[in-house]
Amino acid sequence: VVALVLVAPSLSDVSLLQQVREIPICLFWARDDAVKPFALSEHYTSSLAPACTLHASDLGGHRVLPEYLPSIAAWLSERRAEALHAAEAGHAPESAAEATPAQAQVQGE
């Protein structure tokens, strides 16, 4: 896994966030989320810093909105470009056999 997108996360045990702390994370949260209050977004972003980018919206509740998709696609494209650059610089497995499925996909194999 080279990147993670979370939209309106419902994780009850936020201590589990430490397991993904090193992965770039894009977090989408609506201020009107009635399931998980927007105030929790601060805990998520501080627990995941510096790898977390928060995208806040005024409306949206606890769901993925079509308006999020361009931002998600752009963010994932940036992470893919970073992973490709790292692979070219020798910071990735040398062959597809050594790569995880996600890394192999990023490497285009």
Side-chain angles (χ1 to χ4, degrees):
V1 175
V2 295
L4 183 62
V5 175
L6 299 174
V7 178
S10 292
L11 186 62
S12 295
D13 183 0
V14 292
S15 69
L16 296 173
L17 295 174
Q18 297 302 316
Q19 295 178 15
V20 294
R21 187 180 173 129
E22 301 301 319
I23 300 170
I25 296 173
C26 188
L27 177 62
F28 287 81
W29 212 308
R31 289 183 177 88
D32 69 344
D33 188 332
V35 177
K36 291 289 185 177
F38 182 76
L40 288 174
S41 67
E42 184 175 326
H43 182 71
Y44 274 74
T45 55
S46 65
S47 295
L48 297 169
C52 184
T53 303
L54 174 64
H55 292 266
S57 62
D58 290 331
L59 302 173
H62 192 73
R63 62 186 183 274
V64 177
L65 295 177
E67 295 83 27
Y68 295 169
L69 298 180
S71 295
I72 291 171
W75 187 84
L76 287 172
S77 180
E78 291 170 10
R79 299 299 75 74
R80 182 177 186 276
E82 289 171 359
L84 287 171
H85 179 72
E88 290 170 357
H91 300 294
E94 302 222 357
S95 71
E98 296 174 271
T100 65
Q103 289 170 323
Q105 183 180 10
V106 168
Q107 293 175 2
E109 310 237 339

